[in-house]
Amino acid sequence: MTEIPFVNRFFSQSDEELRSTQLGLFLLDNMIWPILAIVLLAFSLAISGFLSSGNFRIILYGSAALSALVLGEALCLLSGHFDLSVGAIAGFSAIFTGLFLIEWFPGTGGLVGILIILGVGGLIGFLNGVSVAYLGVNPFLQTLSFNMIFSGAVIVLSTATLSGMPESYLYLGGEEFMGIPVAILLMAVLYALAGIWLKYTRSGRAVYAVGGDKDAAREAGINVNRVIVLVYVLSGVLCGLGGLLYTGYLGVAAPTIGQNDVFPAFAAAVIGGISLFGGRGKIIGAAGGVILLGAVESGLVLLDIDPTTVDVINGLILLGAIYLYTMEEKLRQRLLTAR
Amino acid sequence: MIIIVGVYLYSRAYTAIPEGMTPKDTSTSHGTRRSFVKAAAGVSAVGLAGCLGGDDGGDGSRTIGFETMGLGGDPWMGAFTNAAEWYAEDNDINIDVSSGQFDSAKQIQDLRQMIRQDVDGIVISPFEPGALAGVIEEAVDEGIPVFTANSTASTDAVSMFTAFGNANAASSAAELMISRLEDRYGEARGEVLEIVAPQRNPTFVDRHEGFENRIQEEDNVEIIEQIQVEESDQASITNKLSTRLQQGTDFDGLYCPDLNSELGTLAAMENTGTRVERGEDGHIIMTGIDAGPNVLSAIQDGYMDGSVDQPNLFYGPISIKYLVDYLEADDGASALPEIGTEMTVDDLDIQGGTHRGVDPWEEPIWAPATVTEYEAGDATQRYFQTQGVTVTQENADMPYIWGNIMD
């Protein structure tokens, strides 16, 4: 039997050492939350009313559609892949469905529209997954191609902003339930469900396994290709949902939907602790990453910071997160190997 | 990290229409779009998206290169381009349309391609005046006359520039704001919030300065805050405006410099419960530039006070008409209107067929135009300055407004 030193050391620790190690690992796994707390505190000291319920509602509501894309991206990253087409899928599915509802088949119900937008997203995700899993296409090139194709297809379909969609179609993104935007509630539920699925189900854990070591996962009996297709389909459906939430949020389907979202989707997931290399990270952390980006944007607006610097600041935050998580990995190793 | 940086650079550099698609691929006439719709019923939209081509127009002997500033997500520019395509088609002129993707480098590349194709003439809406000057001079050196529409380049090589002018449009939006403040207070006084679009784009510089300069002429009207928006997408603008409006609406009016900021602001107002009809307490006086379909609805519903629009359906046709006249005249310049003259409908008749169920040129809203000299940097050029249209509740449903045709 192969000797694994750090495992042996881990199990040979005393109860107190074990608790200390577990606490250390817990803190490392949830670093996003203290970071978020510090950022919120800093902005609240600088800006009166920053932490008011109204402003926090705006931050969460304004981030809801992006959070759907981040969730999709996070699933791909956890499986050791990534998706550069998240924004393009969101934009294309929103415009495609918008045209379907108001030009091609006017009078179609909103529920049908919701099924179509999720279906379009899922279908594109399926094509991504099949290409990557079964045809062996590099995920970067596959999703880059789809990004170009579907961004271009949006403009082919319509340069105009589309309006006049059914109220029921706009409900999820545009309405409130008990004073809280439905989009916020929906995304909170979806993140919770995704977290439970990944932690407590066999298929969910398979995502981590594939992301951690594809060969080992295969040897453990996991159908790796099926897992890859599954995460891309889920990512596509979530991108469709993002398009739907954007449409409801704006009240219209604009051709610009999702066009600048690739970077924030990656950044939020990575800042939230999802490993770029797969197999590590908590999905709830990605939610923290989205909120962090939203809070920073809100704070910079209220501080009247030149918007040209926002990207620089977001980049610095991302760089900081990457340094932090690189340090985290070293700390993790140290904790696991400490006697 | 490399991946992230690559993704980031790519997402910043990429502007909606893929590199590698030909100018034909980027044409978006509505006829093409309808063809797409029909075909999409049975065929995957993915495959079609990259394959559909635009209509080159008629079989006339003249071929004109038409370079837009960009098309992605900009319906105003889409209408501007469509009108040029329609006019060319109706008047038996070949037209090759390219989208500059709001990128000077792409525009320079497109113009070099047009020079290689040896088109008879070029109509262009430059993204940046300085950047395009050199390549325009190259074209003229090759014997290809260049006309500018909507925006111009800082070179004497431009034969004629046709526009109402962004600064004029912004000034008209300020006039409307002042007028509404007078209605509210019985005198011109109040506090205004201005949305400022990226100032690296000369169009938005004009739209900022034109508004600001006119407001500053009033002693008691003050711009109390400027919200700078960087992105062109509505969601980002909505987020920014929502954040600001949530802090309070302690101002009287709000100015939006373009369609995206108008739509983003309207969505933000709805999301924050600050969208109130005219005549009711809490109404924010809202004026702007560009009257797209959804803006027209907001004006008709009373949520927005008005928007100044340019006769974009005429810019291309006027430029093409004079370009063809220029090509056919022995001495090209003699075909152009003289500087110092006023042009009326008796002097210029833009005609074509019916498109989308209406004659887009039936109402000559460009007239009367004045022909003056325009100073573009160190250069001067012939300037065909059209009229603009201030769209309010009274005329928002008129068919001559592009937003109603393109709806």
Side-chain angles (χ1 to χ4, degrees):
Chain A
M1 192 172 162
T2 312
E3 285 280 318
I4 307 174
F6 76 82
V7 172
N8 292 343
R9 281 176 200 145
F10 186 80
F11 285 108
S12 65
Q13 286 176 337
S14 68
D15 285 353
E16 196 176 331
E17 284 173 335
L18 194 61
R19 273 197 298 276
S20 166
T21 303
Q22 283 173 334
L23 180 64
L25 289 173
F26 176 81
L27 289 173
L28 289 175
D29 282 341
N30 294 280
M31 270 203 304
I32 180 65
W33 302 109
I35 294 169
L36 180 60
I38 291 167
V39 168
L40 292 177
L41 186 65
F43 277 127
S44 66
L45 291 174
I47 304 160
S48 161
F50 182 77
L51 280 183
S52 67
S53 59
N55 196 49
F56 209 65
R57 174 187 176 278
I58 292 295
I59 291 172
L60 293 181
Y61 191 21
S63 306
L66 175 64
S67 71
L69 274 59
V70 172
L71 183 52
E73 192 67 73
L75 290 175
C76 288
L77 287 170
L78 285 174
S79 74
H81 298 79
F82 48 86
D83 190 347
L84 301 181
S85 58
V86 286
I89 297 174
F92 178 81
S93 47
I95 290 294
F96 181 92
T97 311
L99 286 170
F100 186 95
L101 292 174
I102 62 175
E103 273 197 27
W104 304 342
F105 298 98
T108 305
L111 187 60
V112 175
I114 292 172
L115 293 175
I116 289 172
I117 196 169
L118 299 180
V120 169
L123 178 63
I124 299 170
F126 177 76
L127 295 173
N128 266 334
V130 168
S131 293
V132 171
Y134 291 100
L135 303 180
V137 179
N138 180 296
F140 183 93
L141 298 175
Q142 169 63 33
T143 57
L144 179 67
S145 304
F146 267 27
N147 181 22
M148 295 175 75
I149 290 168
F150 289 104
S151 296
V154 167
I155 307 306
V156 172
L157 287 174
S158 178
T159 55
T161 298
L162 307 172
S163 60
M165 272 79 73
E167 287 295 320
S168 52
Y169 180 73
L170 302 175
Y171 177 81
L172 290 176
E175 294 299 326
E176 294 184 352
F177 179 73
M178 297 176 71
I180 303 171
V182 176
I184 296 176
L185 298 172
L186 176 67
M187 289 317 301
V189 169
L190 284 180
Y191 269 85
L193 288 176
I196 291 167
W197 173 62
L198 287 165
K199 189 168 184 181
Y200 296 110
T201 69
R202 194 173 169 174
S203 59
R205 286 195 298 268
V207 174
Y208 279 102
V210 170
D213 187 332
K214 221 180 262 186
D215 293 333
R218 194 171 282 119
E219 284 176 17
I222 293 169
N223 187 330
V224 171
N225 287 350
R226 194 177 294 174
V227 170
I228 295 170
V229 173
L230 176 66
V231 293
Y232 275 108
V233 169
L234 288 174
S235 175
V237 170
L238 287 163
C239 292
L241 178 65
L244 178 69
L245 296 183
Y246 268 131
T247 306
Y249 179 63
L250 298 171
V252 293
T256 52
I257 282 176
Q259 75 174 15
N260 294 322
D261 281 355
V262 179
F263 173 70
F266 259 92
V270 173
I271 290 167
I274 307 288
S275 168
L276 264 178
F277 306 104
R280 188 182 297 284
K282 286 186 173 179
I283 209 74
I284 197 71
V290 182
I291 298 169
L292 180 67
L293 287 186
V296 169
E297 183 182 17
S298 173
L300 296 179
V301 169
L302 294 173
L303 287 172
D304 201 20
I305 302 289
D306 186 333
T308 53
T309 62
V310 171
D311 280 341
V312 176
I313 292 167
N314 282 340
L316 288 172
I317 290 170
L318 178 63
L319 188 64
I322 288 169
Y323 283 146
L324 213 54
Y325 286 112
T326 305
M327 281 167 53
E328 179 214 356
E329 194 58 36
K330 289 176 182 168
L331 279 171
R332 182 185 299 278
Q333 293 299 326
R334 197 174 299 166
L335 278 171
L336 288 170
T337 54
R339 289 191 67 89
Chain B
M1 183 62 195
I2 291 168
I3 292 168
I4 286 287
V5 170
V7 168
Y8 174 63
L9 291 174
Y10 172 78
S11 66
R12 297 294 298 167
Y14 183 70
T15 51
I17 296 174
E19 293 289 341
M21 287 177 78
T22 65
K24 281 185 178 180
D25 291 326
T26 60
S27 295
T28 55
S29 75
H30 286 270
T32 307
R33 209 170 297 153
R34 288 203 176 107
S35 305
F36 176 87
V37 171
K38 286 175 189 166
V43 188
S44 162
V46 180
L48 282 173
C51 304
L52 285 169
D55 188 354
D56 276 348
D59 298 315
S61 57
R62 300 290 184 194
T63 297
I64 289 172
F66 191 89
E67 174 74 14
T68 68
M69 208 181 267
L71 286 173
D74 189 333
W76 190 96
M77 203 54 78
F80 166 72
T81 307
N82 283 344
E85 290 175 308
W86 293 337
Y87 181 80
E89 182 186 332
D90 294 344
N91 291 277
D92 203 23
I93 299 163
N94 292 317
I95 185 166
D96 282 337
V97 176
S98 296
S99 166
Q101 300 177 12
F102 301 100
D103 177 358
S104 294
K106 173 69 168 57
Q107 287 202 306
I108 291 168
Q109 192 183 337
D110 289 344
L111 255 65
R112 294 228 162 97
Q113 177 65 22
M114 288 175 190
I115 295 168
R116 277 196 294 276
Q117 286 176 338
D118 198 24
V119 295
D120 294 306
I122 292 171
V123 176
I124 178 174
S125 175
F127 181 59
E128 292 171 293
L132 271 293
V135 72
I136 286 173
E137 286 162 9
E138 282 176 38
V140 173
D141 288 345
E142 294 289 327
I144 301 171
V146 178
F147 284 59
T148 53
N150 175 52
S151 57
T152 193
S154 48
T155 168
D156 294 323
V158 170
S159 297
M160 191 173 85
F161 165 42
T162 301
F164 172 50
N166 287 300
N168 291 328
S171 182
S172 297
E175 293 276 1
L176 181 61
M177 176 70 73
I178 292 161
S179 161
R180 292 289 194 250
L181 288 169
E182 285 171 347
D183 291 344
R184 176 172 290 182
Y185 295 116
E187 60 177 323
R189 69 178 170 89
E191 295 181 330
V192 177
L193 192 149
E194 180 193 4
I195 296 175
V196 180
Q199 294 295 287
R200 64 175 175 276
N201 182 338
T203 296
F204 292 132
V205 172
D206 287 348
R207 290 181 180 196
H208 159 61
E209 290 178 353
F211 182 80
E212 192 177 55
N213 291 342
R214 178 62 190 90
I215 291 291
Q216 282 173 349
E217 288 174 19
E218 300 295 327
D219 292 337
N220 298 316
V221 181
E222 188 187 358
I223 297 172
I224 57 162
E225 191 176 335
Q226 291 172 327
I227 294 184
Q228 297 189 46
V229 294
E230 178 60 20
E231 309 84 352
S232 61
D233 68 298
Q234 282 166 238
S236 297
I237 295 169
T238 302
N239 282 350
K240 280 194 170 67
L241 263 293
S242 296
T243 300
R244 174 58 186 85
L245 292 173
Q246 200 279 323
Q247 297 293 103
T249 53
D250 47 346
F251 52 89
D252 297 290
L254 200 155
Y255 163 69
C256 302
D258 72 340
L259 188 58
N260 279 327
S261 59
E262 288 170 332
L263 294 174
T265 301
L266 287 165
M269 284 177 164
E270 184 168 12
N271 292 340
T272 52
T274 54
R275 199 177 72 160
V276 178
E277 281 181 48
R278 268 183 76 200
E280 293 184 14
D281 282 347
H283 171 69
I284 298 169
I285 299 169
M286 184 176 163
T287 68
I289 299 178
D290 297 342
N294 303 99
V295 167
L296 293 174
S297 301
I299 292 172
Q300 284 173 315
D301 293 342
Y303 296 123
M304 188 170 173
D305 291 70
S307 187
V308 178
D309 215 352
Q310 305 179 64
N312 58 346
L313 299 179
F314 283 93
Y315 284 172
I318 289 170
S319 302
I320 293 170
K321 158 89 173 64
Y322 278 117
L323 172 54
V324 171
D325 289 352
Y326 183 98
L327 292 168
E328 289 174 357
D330 293 335
D331 170 16
S334 65
L336 304 180
E338 282 184 27
I339 290 167
T341 58
E342 183 178 272
M343 302 293 291
T344 67
V345 287
D346 296 330
D347 304 309
L348 176 65
D349 190 15
I350 298 295
Q351 282 191 341
T354 299
H355 299 275
R356 303 194 134 216
V358 296
D359 174 359
W361 305 292
E362 186 178 7
E363 191 71 29
I365 53 172
W366 62 270
T370 54
V371 183
T372 59
E373 278 194 322
Y374 183 83
E375 289 186 14
D378 294 334
T380 52
Q381 51 199 222
R382 193 183 310 261
Y383 178 27
F384 190 98
Q385 186 182 13
T386 67
Q387 294 296 306
V389 182
T390 300
V391 183
T392 61
Q393 216 163 17
E394 286 69 40
N395 63 349
D397 59 347
M398 291 290 117
Y400 55 75
I401 297 167
W402 70 271
N404 287 321
I405 296 174
M406 297 301 183
D407 192 7

